[in-house]
Amino acid sequence: MYVEKLNPKDYEKLYYYLYLTRYADELICKNYKQGMLQESHHSCQGEEAIAVGSGILLGKDDYVCPSLRARGYFYLKGATLKEMMAGMYGKVTGPSRGKNTSHHMGDMDRGIVCGSGIIGGALPVAVGVGLGIKKRGSKGVVLVSFGDGSTSRGDFHEAMNLAAVWKLPVLFVCENNRMAMGNTIEGEMAIDRVAIRADAYGMPGVTANGNDVLAVYEATAAAIERARKGGGPTLLEFTTHRWTGHGVKDADAYRDRAVVESYKQDCPLDNFRKVLLAKGILKKRDLDRIEKAAMKEVDDAVEYAVQSDHPPVDIVATNVYV
Ligand SMILES: Cc1ncc(C[n+]2csc(CCOP(=O)(O)OP(=O)(O)O)c2C)c(N)n1
């Protein structure tokens, strides 16, 4: 059991990033509605434990190709919240100097590969990153995250096949929230579990509770160990719920409100808090201290973004292909 090796500092870190991801997301959604942001945001509320529980295992030689909903990977791989927030606000202090939002943000020095607006588009890219890692003889791994809807596209199947044939150190991480925009999983595929798709390619397929940060950690740690030892890729399916519409512009009118509200009874933060308090790993005052520190980091980043300037005209026109 990998979880048994976690120490109190690791638990603090997990809780810090869970809380920070939630609080940042709530502020981003609120500020978007007030017209303050450029970013057409896709909320990760209710799904935070997946990026946090797996991202915490990535080291400096590892890479991540985050989906547009998986914000936690950016924070755990060291992208500063100030830079990210400035990017979302379209400010000159953002990573692309105000020319794109976090959908296409990357930072190769920190092992964060730029995202793609094409659903499933990041999977073949991750296979290329995995091939690079193997050719260099590095012990690194690459983690690519995507939704259940992405697994019905050709990119997914081609990427899975090649990664398995070449035994590449790729972790395919599916955030299965059973929705793809307004479509339900029953409308996307005729199987019950995404993980069984791994059988067709000769790699392990594992399903775990994506709202339990420790279950995510456990499954990911095993897949990483296998990949580092040359065992090849794993498909990890983490089950979860989408609490909001597809994106901030989606009123989510196609779902039963009572059902969506019921998802909040299975909140990844509450679930983890209960474990921490019941096992005496952290006390209520520790949680309060951690929450305060996370809120400050986010509030400072928002302040930085608000105070920063929009890009001047000469910057807007540079590095843009016409
Ligand atoms: C090739 C392609 N087709 C359609 C879209 C429009 N689109 C954006 S997100 C999305 C659904 C994605 O569902 P899923 O992969 O399950 O991720 P989730 O949003 O549930 O996290 C679609 C169809 C797109 N971006 N790319």
Side-chain angles (χ1 to χ4, degrees):
M1 290 275 283
Y2 299 90
V3 165
E4 280 165 11
K5 295 186 192 132
L6 288 171
N7 62 42
K9 284 271 162 242
D10 298 323
Y11 280 103
E12 285 208 12
K13 188 172 176 186
L14 282 168
Y15 189 66
Y16 181 86
Y17 281 102
L18 276 177
Y19 194 87
L20 179 138
T21 310
R22 169 71 56 84
Y23 181 66
D25 197 284
E26 285 173 349
L27 266 192
I28 292 163
C29 293
K30 184 171 141 236
N31 292 353
Y32 176 84
K33 285 179 186 145
Q34 291 175 349
M36 292 163 72
L37 266 120
Q38 301 281 321
E39 171 105 356
S40 175
H41 182 63
H42 295 76
S43 170
C44 62
Q45 284 170 43
E47 305 187 20
E48 298 91 343
I50 302 171
V52 174
S54 58
I56 198 167
L57 282 150
L58 299 177
K60 71 173 179 21
D61 293 334
D62 300 323
Y63 292 82
V64 65
C65 305
S67 80
L68 50 79
R69 211 178 286 291
R71 303 293 83 190
Y73 291 119
F74 283 89
Y75 311 142
L76 280 151
K77 275 298 262 167
T80 77
L81 210 62
K82 282 187 175 168
E83 268 174 56
M84 286 195 64
M85 210 54 94
M88 292 184 203
Y89 276 72
K91 297 296 181 76
V92 70
T93 46
S96 65
R97 314 209 67 195
K99 280 178 281 192
N100 68 16
T101 59
S102 69
H103 290 169
H104 305 285
M105 269 183 209
D107 185 342
M108 284 306 274
D109 291 340
R110 292 182 173 119
I112 307 169
V113 183
C114 276
S116 163
I118 301 300
I119 291 308
L123 284 104
V125 174
V127 173
V129 175
L131 183 60
I133 291 171
K134 189 168 179 175
K135 290 262 179 211
R136 289 197 303 278
S138 152
K139 284 278 167 239
V141 300
V142 53
L143 184 158
V144 54
S145 76
F146 48 88
D148 43 288
S150 313
T151 71
S152 296
R153 280 189 39 92
D155 317 53
F156 169 86
H157 297 275
E158 291 170 22
M160 293 273 290
N161 186 53
L162 208 50
V165 170
W166 287 343
K167 278 192 178 283
L168 300 179
V170 186
L171 274 73
F172 293 96
V173 174
C174 176
E175 303 198 338
N176 185 358
N177 60 19
R178 304 186 68 83
M179 294 296 297
M181 294 185 101
N183 200 2
T184 61
I185 195 160
E186 292 77 16
E188 298 168 31
M189 59 187 79
I191 51 173
D192 203 34
R193 289 195 305 122
V194 166
I196 63 174
R197 295 196 146 158
D199 287 353
Y201 302 105
M203 72 172 81
V206 178
T207 305
N209 181 356
N211 289 354
D212 173 351
V213 73
L214 298 178
V216 174
Y217 184 92
E218 189 66 24
T220 310
I224 288 182
E225 186 173 2
R226 183 181 132 81
R228 291 205 203 286
K229 286 183 174 161
T234 302
L235 172 60
L236 296 164
E237 172 191 19
F238 294 122
T239 55
T240 187
H241 303 294
R242 200 185 79 197
W243 285 12
T244 62
H246 172 70
V248 270
K249 293 176 184 159
D250 175 5
D252 203 9
Y254 44 83
R255 292 199 294 179
D256 183 332
R257 298 322 318 148
V259 173
V260 175
E261 279 307 307
S262 74
Y263 295 153
K264 297 186 181 167
Q265 301 307 311
D266 184 20
C267 167
L269 272 82
D270 288 344
N271 293 346
F272 193 44
R273 264 187 216 115
K274 279 182 202 147
V275 172
L276 292 170
L277 294 173
K279 292 198 171 166
I281 299 166
L282 295 176
K283 301 207 165 18
K284 171 82 176 59
R285 64 168 182 275
D286 298 317
L287 299 180
D288 291 345
R289 169 179 50 80
I290 295 166
E291 290 173 14
K292 237 171 129 179
M295 277 195 266
K296 179 163 174 10
E297 185 176 349
V298 176
D299 290 340
D300 287 352
V302 170
E303 183 61 17
Y304 175 77
V306 169
Q307 296 302 330
S308 295
D309 291 326
H310 284 287
V313 173
D314 59 322
I315 286 182
V316 171
T318 53
N319 305 120
V320 176
Y321 178 75
V322 180

